[in-house]
Amino acid sequence: MRIGTPKEIFEGETRVAMTPASALELQKLGYECLIEKGAGAAARFSDEDYKDAGVTVVPTAAALFKQADIVAKVRPPEETEIKRLRKGQTFISFFYPAQNEELMNAANKKGAHVIAMDMVPRISRAQKMDALSSMANIAGYRAVMEAGNNFGRFFTGQVTAAGKVPPAKVLVVGAGVAGLAAIGAATSLGAMVYAFDVRPEVAEQIESMGAEFVFLDFDEEQTDGAETGGYAAPSSPEFREKQLEKFRELAPEMDIVITTALIPGRDAPKLWLEDMVALQKPGSVVVDLAAERGGNCDLTVADEKIVSKNGVTIIGYTDLPSRMAAQSSTLYSTNIRHMMTDLTPEKDGQINHNMEDDVIRGATATFEGDITFPPPPPKVAAIAAKKPTAPEPTAEEIAAEQAAAMKKAGTQQTALLAIGGVLMLLIGGFAPASFMQHFIVFALSCFVGFQVIWNVSHSLHTPLMAITNAISGIIILGALLQIGGNGFIVGLLAAVSVLIATINIVGGFMVTRRMLNMFQKS
């Protein structure tokens, strides 16, 4: 079968769904690759690069649609492209079927099989095909670059002969894929980064990247956490008011604000209001990654950069991934290639559109004349939901369990004492009295030593070091009692014992310190 990629006709779109590198991988799956002339030029992939990779360059989009069995694009199809589809042809692109119902119906009437890359379910096995995350990652990084270009000052703090330069303060609202990418880029440039998300469980991720998580003083939990699909759930009105109050408090101090709160198919929530922009310092920058759905900022204008009355720059570009076309195309084409790998399990160049597969079924919008959107929940989620959860034990059950454990332990100790007593009587019946005195001292020493060693706290050491240090401590104590008495040889051996045990203890602490330093941030 043939897989082809036409040139994107959406104005300003510079990405391409097939790169020379991905074409080589597709050929290994048994496919013949086609590309429209000039399709990769805006992403800096020449027709010669494609030819060198074994790709056939087709002069027009019409010819490509006619020859290809599978068509892979970036943007949703335009009306002219829908008309070129034919029965049984597979069409792969960002499609957004919830917003483009007419396009979906038109493609279905043509008999095409539509795979929407934006509908790939967010499960572990499908991460390699998650094109939304790939593009969000680039958008978050590019947002920091755009902010720096318009900020006009250093991100990192500096102390120079001309004076001290404070670091820029950056607030990232939303810690999804785009938000985390923005945090990583801003911290690497030396900025002081603050981040907020309605999901408190992401605080650890934010702090691990060197940013400070902005907590709210809110009686209830911030939200119910994440919705199905990994997106944040909508907040309650009370929580929203508390959230806006916190943003107003932060606004005067923030040099750069990057907002990323957007759930596909929904209008963007308003989080950075006009009065917050008015509180910011002149020269500050707001980059709104939700501009395509109305924006998180009141003043955002889609695809434009504006300056507020008080000198704050608000950037509402919706084509941030396209502004890094080479990188975006590389990642997106890799997502496409992984999708084709799942569609071609035999690697024979023939599509096996298995609707029993969670990933393929989830991404399929139309198939064999039927509208298959919206897809059912992934089976893995359904199986996980059916797992019975053990009921929480009551206080009475816990008390009964503890009493039974204590009774069992007491029985075992009593049995051991009885056995030990019988052994002592047997040995005492045959051994001399002097031996029994030393033997009883030895037995008691073993018991006391065992209790001391196994009750040593591991809070300052690893368990192994704690036990060996406890043993060494007992050796030192015993050796100190023997130094200066019972002859020269005994004293010498006791001194050597003290030396060796001391080395062991000091070495144990040194090793433990080195191990702990491995887990401390420099």
mmCIF file of all heavy atoms in Angstrom, residues 318-360:
data_model
loop_
_atom_site.group_PDB
_atom_site.id
_atom_site.type_symbol
_atom_site.label_atom_id
_atom_site.label_comp_id
_atom_site.label_asym_id
_atom_site.label_seq_id
_atom_site.Cartn_x
_atom_site.Cartn_y
_atom_site.Cartn_z
ATOM 1 N N THR A 318 -1.332 31.270 17.960
ATOM 2 C CA THR A 318 -1.883 29.905 17.989
ATOM 3 C C THR A 318 -1.052 28.934 17.157
ATOM 4 O O THR A 318 -1.426 27.771 17.006
ATOM 5 C CB THR A 318 -3.327 29.908 17.445
ATOM 6 O OG1 THR A 318 -3.324 30.362 16.081
ATOM 7 C CG2 THR A 318 -4.227 30.806 18.277
ATOM 8 N N ASP A 319 0.049 29.410 16.614
ATOM 9 C CA ASP A 319 0.868 28.571 15.740
ATOM 10 C C ASP A 319 2.266 28.340 16.312
ATOM 11 O O ASP A 319 3.236 28.230 15.560
ATOM 12 C CB ASP A 319 0.981 29.223 14.354
ATOM 13 C CG ASP A 319 1.641 30.595 14.411
ATOM 14 O OD1 ASP A 319 1.757 31.153 15.525
ATOM 15 O OD2 ASP A 319 2.041 31.105 13.347
ATOM 16 N N LEU A 320 2.380 28.273 17.625
ATOM 17 C CA LEU A 320 3.702 28.123 18.232
ATOM 18 C C LEU A 320 4.438 26.865 17.755
ATOM 19 O O LEU A 320 5.638 26.940 17.466
ATOM 20 C CB LEU A 320 3.587 28.141 19.759
ATOM 21 C CG LEU A 320 3.166 29.488 20.365
ATOM 22 C CD1 LEU A 320 3.034 29.369 21.877
ATOM 23 C CD2 LEU A 320 4.166 30.574 20.020
ATOM 24 N N PRO A 321 3.771 25.702 17.642
ATOM 25 C CA PRO A 321 4.498 24.546 17.090
ATOM 26 C C PRO A 321 4.988 24.784 15.666
ATOM 27 O O PRO A 321 6.079 24.329 15.294
ATOM 28 C CB PRO A 321 3.465 23.420 17.154
ATOM 29 C CG PRO A 321 2.532 23.813 18.247
ATOM 30 C CD PRO A 321 2.444 25.308 18.140
ATOM 31 N N SER A 322 4.203 25.507 14.858
ATOM 32 C CA SER A 322 4.615 25.778 13.483
ATOM 33 C C SER A 322 5.812 26.714 13.424
ATOM 34 O O SER A 322 6.532 26.745 12.422
ATOM 35 C CB SER A 322 3.458 26.387 12.692
ATOM 36 O OG SER A 322 2.445 25.433 12.476
ATOM 37 N N ARG A 323 6.040 27.472 14.486
ATOM 38 C CA ARG A 323 7.199 28.365 14.521
ATOM 39 C C ARG A 323 8.489 27.590 14.801
ATOM 40 O O ARG A 323 9.574 28.171 14.772
ATOM 41 C CB ARG A 323 6.985 29.448 15.582
ATOM 42 C CG ARG A 323 5.886 30.441 15.192
ATOM 43 C CD ARG A 323 5.518 31.378 16.324
ATOM 44 N NE ARG A 323 4.441 32.268 15.906
ATOM 45 C CZ ARG A 323 4.608 33.552 15.565
ATOM 46 N NH1 ARG A 323 5.807 34.104 15.602
ATOM 47 N NH2 ARG A 323 3.573 34.283 15.199
ATOM 48 N N MET A 324 8.351 26.313 15.107
ATOM 49 C CA MET A 324 9.506 25.413 15.217
ATOM 50 C C MET A 324 9.211 24.208 14.326
ATOM 51 O O MET A 324 9.112 23.069 14.779
ATOM 52 C CB MET A 324 9.738 24.989 16.665
ATOM 53 C CG MET A 324 10.059 26.146 17.597
ATOM 54 S SD MET A 324 10.363 25.607 19.294
ATOM 55 C CE MET A 324 11.875 24.689 19.108
ATOM 56 N N ALA A 325 9.040 24.484 13.026
ATOM 57 C CA ALA A 325 8.484 23.495 12.102
ATOM 58 C C ALA A 325 9.330 22.231 11.998
ATOM 59 O O ALA A 325 8.787 21.115 11.929
ATOM 60 C CB ALA A 325 8.317 24.129 10.720
ATOM 61 N N ALA A 326 10.642 22.371 11.968
ATOM 62 C CA ALA A 326 11.492 21.190 11.808
ATOM 63 C C ALA A 326 11.329 20.235 12.985
ATOM 64 O O ALA A 326 11.159 19.021 12.809
ATOM 65 C CB ALA A 326 12.951 21.612 11.658
ATOM 66 N N GLN A 327 11.380 20.784 14.209
ATOM 67 C CA GLN A 327 11.229 19.940 15.391
ATOM 68 C C GLN A 327 9.818 19.374 15.494
ATOM 69 O O GLN A 327 9.626 18.192 15.811
ATOM 70 C CB GLN A 327 11.556 20.747 16.641
ATOM 71 C CG GLN A 327 11.564 19.939 17.924
ATOM 72 C CD GLN A 327 12.677 18.911 17.943
ATOM 73 O OE1 GLN A 327 13.840 19.241 18.061
ATOM 74 N NE2 GLN A 327 12.318 17.646 17.794
ATOM 75 N N SER A 328 8.819 20.212 15.236
ATOM 76 C CA SER A 328 7.425 19.763 15.320
ATOM 77 C C SER A 328 7.151 18.649 14.312
ATOM 78 O O SER A 328 6.498 17.649 14.627
ATOM 79 C CB SER A 328 6.473 20.929 15.060
ATOM 80 O OG SER A 328 6.631 21.931 16.027
ATOM 81 N N SER A 329 7.646 18.823 13.095
ATOM 82 C CA SER A 329 7.424 17.817 12.052
ATOM 83 C C SER A 329 8.097 16.499 12.411
ATOM 84 O O SER A 329 7.549 15.420 12.170
ATOM 85 C CB SER A 329 7.949 18.328 10.712
ATOM 86 O OG SER A 329 7.280 19.505 10.317
ATOM 87 N N THR A 330 9.286 16.604 13.007
ATOM 88 C CA THR A 330 9.994 15.380 13.402
ATOM 89 C C THR A 330 9.196 14.608 14.450
ATOM 90 O O THR A 330 9.023 13.373 14.340
ATOM 91 C CB THR A 330 11.385 15.739 13.954
ATOM 92 O OG1 THR A 330 12.141 16.388 12.928
ATOM 93 C CG2 THR A 330 12.120 14.491 14.412
ATOM 94 N N LEU A 331 8.693 15.299 15.463
ATOM 95 C CA LEU A 331 7.935 14.621 16.508
ATOM 96 C C LEU A 331 6.594 14.103 15.990
ATOM 97 O O LEU A 331 6.203 12.961 16.273
ATOM 98 C CB LEU A 331 7.710 15.564 17.692
ATOM 99 C CG LEU A 331 8.950 15.981 18.484
ATOM 100 C CD1 LEU A 331 8.568 16.891 19.642
ATOM 101 C CD2 LEU A 331 9.699 14.765 19.008
ATOM 102 N N TYR A 332 5.884 14.933 15.227
ATOM 103 C CA TYR A 332 4.563 14.525 14.730
ATOM 104 C C TYR A 332 4.679 13.349 13.758
ATOM 105 O O TYR A 332 3.883 12.408 13.813
ATOM 106 C CB TYR A 332 3.869 15.703 14.062
ATOM 107 C CG TYR A 332 2.485 15.365 13.545
ATOM 108 C CD1 TYR A 332 1.436 15.122 14.426
ATOM 109 C CD2 TYR A 332 2.226 15.267 12.186
ATOM 110 C CE1 TYR A 332 0.159 14.807 13.959
ATOM 111 C CE2 TYR A 332 0.966 14.950 11.709
ATOM 112 C CZ TYR A 332 -0.067 14.724 12.597
ATOM 113 O OH TYR A 332 -1.317 14.403 12.142
ATOM 114 N N SER A 333 5.662 13.397 12.880
ATOM 115 C CA SER A 333 5.832 12.285 11.939
ATOM 116 C C SER A 333 6.194 10.996 12.675
ATOM 117 O O SER A 333 5.826 9.896 12.239
ATOM 118 C CB SER A 333 6.911 12.621 10.911
ATOM 119 O OG SER A 333 8.175 12.797 11.533
ATOM 120 N N THR A 334 6.900 11.134 13.795
ATOM 121 C CA THR A 334 7.200 9.948 14.615
ATOM 122 C C THR A 334 5.925 9.390 15.238
ATOM 123 O O THR A 334 5.733 8.160 15.303
ATOM 124 C CB THR A 334 8.219 10.304 15.709
ATOM 125 O OG1 THR A 334 9.413 10.800 15.093
ATOM 126 C CG2 THR A 334 8.562 9.086 16.553
ATOM 127 N N ASN A 335 5.037 10.269 15.704
ATOM 128 C CA ASN A 335 3.733 9.814 16.211
ATOM 129 C C ASN A 335 2.951 9.077 15.129
ATOM 130 O O ASN A 335 2.352 8.023 15.391
ATOM 131 C CB ASN A 335 2.906 11.001 16.706
ATOM 132 C CG ASN A 335 3.530 11.724 17.890
ATOM 133 O OD1 ASN A 335 3.497 12.955 17.958
ATOM 134 N ND2 ASN A 335 4.103 10.988 18.822
ATOM 135 N N ILE A 336 2.954 9.617 13.915
ATOM 136 C CA ILE A 336 2.274 8.972 12.787
ATOM 137 C C ILE A 336 2.883 7.593 12.518
ATOM 138 O O ILE A 336 2.178 6.599 12.319
ATOM 139 C CB ILE A 336 2.361 9.843 11.525
ATOM 140 C CG1 ILE A 336 1.568 11.138 11.693
ATOM 141 C CG2 ILE A 336 1.880 9.070 10.294
ATOM 142 C CD1 ILE A 336 0.084 10.994 11.574
ATOM 143 N N ARG A 337 4.207 7.539 12.520
ATOM 144 C CA ARG A 337 4.886 6.273 12.246
ATOM 145 C C ARG A 337 4.538 5.211 13.291
ATOM 146 O O ARG A 337 4.306 4.037 12.959
ATOM 147 C CB ARG A 337 6.398 6.513 12.218
ATOM 148 C CG ARG A 337 7.182 5.312 11.701
ATOM 149 C CD ARG A 337 7.908 4.597 12.798
ATOM 150 N NE ARG A 337 8.866 5.444 13.463
ATOM 151 C CZ ARG A 337 9.547 5.051 14.523
ATOM 152 N NH1 ARG A 337 9.347 3.851 15.049
ATOM 153 N NH2 ARG A 337 10.402 5.863 15.117
ATOM 154 N N HIS A 338 4.450 5.610 14.559
ATOM 155 C CA HIS A 338 4.066 4.647 15.597
ATOM 156 C C HIS A 338 2.618 4.189 15.397
ATOM 157 O O HIS A 338 2.293 3.017 15.643
ATOM 158 C CB HIS A 338 4.242 5.270 16.978
ATOM 159 C CG HIS A 338 5.670 5.332 17.434
ATOM 160 N ND1 HIS A 338 6.469 4.214 17.512
ATOM 161 C CD2 HIS A 338 6.434 6.380 17.849
ATOM 162 C CE1 HIS A 338 7.669 4.560 17.954
ATOM 163 N NE2 HIS A 338 7.674 5.869 18.153
ATOM 164 N N MET A 339 1.747 5.097 14.974
ATOM 165 C CA MET A 339 0.374 4.699 14.678
ATOM 166 C C MET A 339 0.348 3.683 13.544
ATOM 167 O O MET A 339 -0.367 2.675 13.604
ATOM 168 C CB MET A 339 -0.458 5.930 14.311
ATOM 169 C CG MET A 339 -1.888 5.613 13.868
ATOM 170 S SD MET A 339 -2.889 4.805 15.150
ATOM 171 C CE MET A 339 -3.210 6.204 16.234
ATOM 172 N N MET A 340 1.136 3.917 12.524
ATOM 173 C CA MET A 340 1.187 2.979 11.395
ATOM 174 C C MET A 340 1.777 1.636 11.829
ATOM 175 O O MET A 340 1.398 0.590 11.297
ATOM 176 C CB MET A 340 2.000 3.577 10.260
ATOM 177 C CG MET A 340 1.379 4.810 9.592
ATOM 178 S SD MET A 340 -0.329 4.526 9.048
ATOM 179 C CE MET A 340 -0.110 3.151 7.941
ATOM 180 N N THR A 341 2.679 1.657 12.779
ATOM 181 C CA THR A 341 3.237 0.397 13.293
ATOM 182 C C THR A 341 2.151 -0.447 13.930
ATOM 183 O O THR A 341 2.084 -1.670 13.733
ATOM 184 C CB THR A 341 4.355 0.680 14.312
ATOM 185 O OG1 THR A 341 5.389 1.447 13.684
ATOM 186 C CG2 THR A 341 4.950 -0.613 14.843
ATOM 187 N N ASP A 342 1.272 0.200 14.708
ATOM 188 C CA ASP A 342 0.159 -0.529 15.316
ATOM 189 C C ASP A 342 -0.853 -0.991 14.277
ATOM 190 O O ASP A 342 -1.488 -2.036 14.438
ATOM 191 C CB ASP A 342 -0.532 0.353 16.362
ATOM 192 C CG ASP A 342 0.115 0.227 17.735
ATOM 193 O OD1 ASP A 342 1.329 -0.058 17.773
ATOM 194 O OD2 ASP A 342 -0.562 0.415 18.756
ATOM 195 N N LEU A 343 -1.013 -0.199 13.205
ATOM 196 C CA LEU A 343 -1.957 -0.563 12.145
ATOM 197 C C LEU A 343 -1.392 -1.637 11.221
ATOM 198 O O LEU A 343 -2.131 -2.211 10.417
ATOM 199 C CB LEU A 343 -2.319 0.673 11.317
ATOM 200 C CG LEU A 343 -3.252 1.693 11.978
ATOM 201 C CD1 LEU A 343 -3.252 2.999 11.212
ATOM 202 C CD2 LEU A 343 -4.676 1.130 12.076
ATOM 203 N N THR A 344 -0.085 -1.891 11.332
ATOM 204 C CA THR A 344 0.551 -2.874 10.450
ATOM 205 C C THR A 344 1.319 -3.892 11.280
ATOM 206 O O THR A 344 2.557 -3.918 11.288
ATOM 207 C CB THR A 344 1.514 -2.170 9.471
ATOM 208 O OG1 THR A 344 0.929 -0.956 9.007
ATOM 209 C CG2 THR A 344 1.824 -3.053 8.268
ATOM 210 N N PRO A 345 0.629 -4.726 12.032
ATOM 211 C CA PRO A 345 1.333 -5.657 12.929
ATOM 212 C C PRO A 345 2.209 -6.666 12.197
ATOM 213 O O PRO A 345 3.204 -7.142 12.750
ATOM 214 C CB PRO A 345 0.182 -6.350 13.682
ATOM 215 C CG PRO A 345 -1.011 -6.191 12.810
ATOM 216 C CD PRO A 345 -0.832 -4.881 12.119
ATOM 217 N N GLU A 346 1.859 -6.997 10.950
ATOM 218 C CA GLU A 346 2.634 -7.985 10.191
ATOM 219 C C GLU A 346 3.790 -7.357 9.420
ATOM 220 O O GLU A 346 4.572 -8.070 8.786
ATOM 221 C CB GLU A 346 1.714 -8.726 9.216
ATOM 222 C CG GLU A 346 0.561 -9.462 9.870
ATOM 223 C CD GLU A 346 1.032 -10.541 10.827
ATOM 224 O OE1 GLU A 346 2.096 -11.152 10.540
ATOM 225 O OE2 GLU A 346 0.366 -10.777 11.844
ATOM 226 N N LYS A 347 3.872 -6.032 9.400
ATOM 227 C CA LYS A 347 4.912 -5.307 8.667
ATOM 228 C C LYS A 347 4.948 -5.705 7.196
ATOM 229 O O LYS A 347 6.028 -5.860 6.594
ATOM 230 C CB LYS A 347 6.283 -5.523 9.308
ATOM 231 C CG LYS A 347 6.376 -5.022 10.747
ATOM 232 C CD LYS A 347 7.771 -5.185 11.315
ATOM 233 C CE LYS A 347 7.832 -4.662 12.756
ATOM 234 N NZ LYS A 347 9.185 -4.806 13.337
ATOM 235 N N ASP A 348 3.755 -5.859 6.635
ATOM 236 C CA ASP A 348 3.641 -6.293 5.248
ATOM 237 C C ASP A 348 3.064 -5.215 4.342
ATOM 238 O O ASP A 348 2.673 -5.492 3.208
ATOM 239 C CB ASP A 348 2.766 -7.551 5.159
ATOM 240 C CG ASP A 348 1.380 -7.338 5.775
ATOM 241 O OD1 ASP A 348 1.121 -6.242 6.323
ATOM 242 O OD2 ASP A 348 0.561 -8.278 5.715
ATOM 243 N N GLY A 349 2.985 -3.985 4.857
ATOM 244 C CA GLY A 349 2.460 -2.904 4.046
ATOM 245 C C GLY A 349 0.956 -2.953 3.861
ATOM 246 O O GLY A 349 0.429 -2.287 2.966
ATOM 247 N N GLN A 350 0.262 -3.694 4.712
ATOM 248 C CA GLN A 350 -1.199 -3.810 4.635
ATOM 249 C C GLN A 350 -1.808 -3.405 5.967
ATOM 250 O O GLN A 350 -1.404 -3.911 7.018
ATOM 251 C CB GLN A 350 -1.617 -5.252 4.286
ATOM 252 C CG GLN A 350 -1.094 -5.747 2.954
ATOM 253 C CD GLN A 350 -1.677 -4.971 1.786
ATOM 254 O OE1 GLN A 350 -2.865 -4.642 1.759
ATOM 255 N NE2 GLN A 350 -0.829 -4.677 0.789
ATOM 256 N N ILE A 351 -2.798 -2.500 5.919
ATOM 257 C CA ILE A 351 -3.428 -2.026 7.157
ATOM 258 C C ILE A 351 -4.354 -3.085 7.732
ATOM 259 O O ILE A 351 -5.166 -3.681 7.014
ATOM 260 C CB ILE A 351 -4.214 -0.722 6.898
ATOM 261 C CG1 ILE A 351 -3.257 0.467 6.852
ATOM 262 C CG2 ILE A 351 -5.244 -0.483 7.989
ATOM 263 C CD1 ILE A 351 -3.938 1.798 6.745
ATOM 264 N N ASN A 352 -4.209 -3.322 9.034
ATOM 265 C CA ASN A 352 -5.145 -4.166 9.781
ATOM 266 C C ASN A 352 -5.846 -3.252 10.789
ATOM 267 O O ASN A 352 -5.361 -3.046 11.903
ATOM 268 C CB ASN A 352 -4.404 -5.303 10.480
ATOM 269 C CG ASN A 352 -5.330 -6.174 11.308
ATOM 270 O OD1 ASN A 352 -6.552 -6.135 11.162
ATOM 271 N ND2 ASN A 352 -4.758 -6.968 12.200
ATOM 272 N N HIS A 353 -6.994 -2.699 10.369
ATOM 273 C CA HIS A 353 -7.700 -1.720 11.203
ATOM 274 C C HIS A 353 -8.511 -2.469 12.264
ATOM 275 O O HIS A 353 -9.721 -2.681 12.131
ATOM 276 C CB HIS A 353 -8.616 -0.869 10.320
ATOM 277 C CG HIS A 353 -8.949 0.458 10.921
ATOM 278 N ND1 HIS A 353 -8.671 1.653 10.315
ATOM 279 C CD2 HIS A 353 -9.508 0.795 12.118
ATOM 280 C CE1 HIS A 353 -9.069 2.651 11.069
ATOM 281 N NE2 HIS A 353 -9.584 2.150 12.173
ATOM 282 N N ASN A 354 -7.812 -2.847 13.331
ATOM 283 C CA ASN A 354 -8.401 -3.681 14.376
ATOM 284 C C ASN A 354 -9.202 -2.816 15.350
ATOM 285 O O ASN A 354 -8.629 -2.142 16.217
ATOM 286 C CB ASN A 354 -7.299 -4.442 15.113
ATOM 287 C CG ASN A 354 -7.844 -5.340 16.207
ATOM 288 O OD1 ASN A 354 -9.045 -5.604 16.278
ATOM 289 N ND2 ASN A 354 -6.961 -5.829 17.055
ATOM 290 N N MET A 355 -10.520 -2.867 15.224
ATOM 291 C CA MET A 355 -11.373 -2.043 16.088
ATOM 292 C C MET A 355 -11.499 -2.609 17.505
ATOM 293 O O MET A 355 -12.166 -2.030 18.351
ATOM 294 C CB MET A 355 -12.754 -1.890 15.457
ATOM 295 C CG MET A 355 -12.750 -1.093 14.163
ATOM 296 S SD MET A 355 -12.286 0.639 14.406
ATOM 297 C CE MET A 355 -13.869 1.327 14.899
ATOM 298 N N GLU A 356 -10.867 -3.753 17.772
ATOM 299 C CA GLU A 356 -10.823 -4.289 19.126
ATOM 300 C C GLU A 356 -9.635 -3.724 19.907
ATOM 301 O O GLU A 356 -9.542 -3.907 21.113
ATOM 302 C CB GLU A 356 -10.724 -5.822 19.083
ATOM 303 C CG GLU A 356 -11.931 -6.508 18.462
ATOM 304 C CD GLU A 356 -13.206 -6.218 19.241
ATOM 305 O OE1 GLU A 356 -13.157 -6.234 20.493
ATOM 306 O OE2 GLU A 356 -14.241 -5.969 18.602
ATOM 307 N N ASP A 357 -8.735 -3.064 19.199
ATOM 308 C CA ASP A 357 -7.579 -2.448 19.840
ATOM 309 C C ASP A 357 -7.999 -1.111 20.446
ATOM 310 O O ASP A 357 -8.563 -0.260 19.762
ATOM 311 C CB ASP A 357 -6.468 -2.249 18.807
ATOM 312 C CG ASP A 357 -5.190 -1.705 19.424
ATOM 313 O OD1 ASP A 357 -5.185 -0.520 19.808
ATOM 314 O OD2 ASP A 357 -4.208 -2.458 19.521
ATOM 315 N N ASP A 358 -7.699 -0.901 21.722
ATOM 316 C CA ASP A 358 -8.125 0.318 22.421
ATOM 317 C C ASP A 358 -7.623 1.585 21.747
ATOM 318 O O ASP A 358 -8.354 2.569 21.621
ATOM 319 C CB ASP A 358 -7.630 0.297 23.878
ATOM 320 C CG ASP A 358 -8.479 -0.600 24.754
ATOM 321 O OD1 ASP A 358 -9.658 -0.774 24.438
ATOM 322 O OD2 ASP A 358 -7.948 -1.121 25.747
ATOM 323 N N VAL A 359 -6.363 1.576 21.322
ATOM 324 C CA VAL A 359 -5.766 2.784 20.749
ATOM 325 C C VAL A 359 -6.365 3.076 19.382
ATOM 326 O O VAL A 359 -6.785 4.206 19.096
ATOM 327 C CB VAL A 359 -4.237 2.637 20.655
ATOM 328 C CG1 VAL A 359 -3.622 3.874 20.007
ATOM 329 C CG2 VAL A 359 -3.640 2.410 22.038
ATOM 330 N N ILE A 360 -6.418 2.072 18.520
ATOM 331 C CA ILE A 360 -6.959 2.274 17.174
ATOM 332 C C ILE A 360 -8.436 2.646 17.245
ATOM 333 O O ILE A 360 -8.897 3.564 16.561
ATOM 334 C CB ILE A 360 -6.737 1.009 16.323
ATOM 335 C CG1 ILE A 360 -5.229 0.772 16.120
ATOM 336 C CG2 ILE A 360 -7.444 1.126 14.975
ATOM 337 C CD1 ILE A 360 -4.883 -0.533 15.451
#
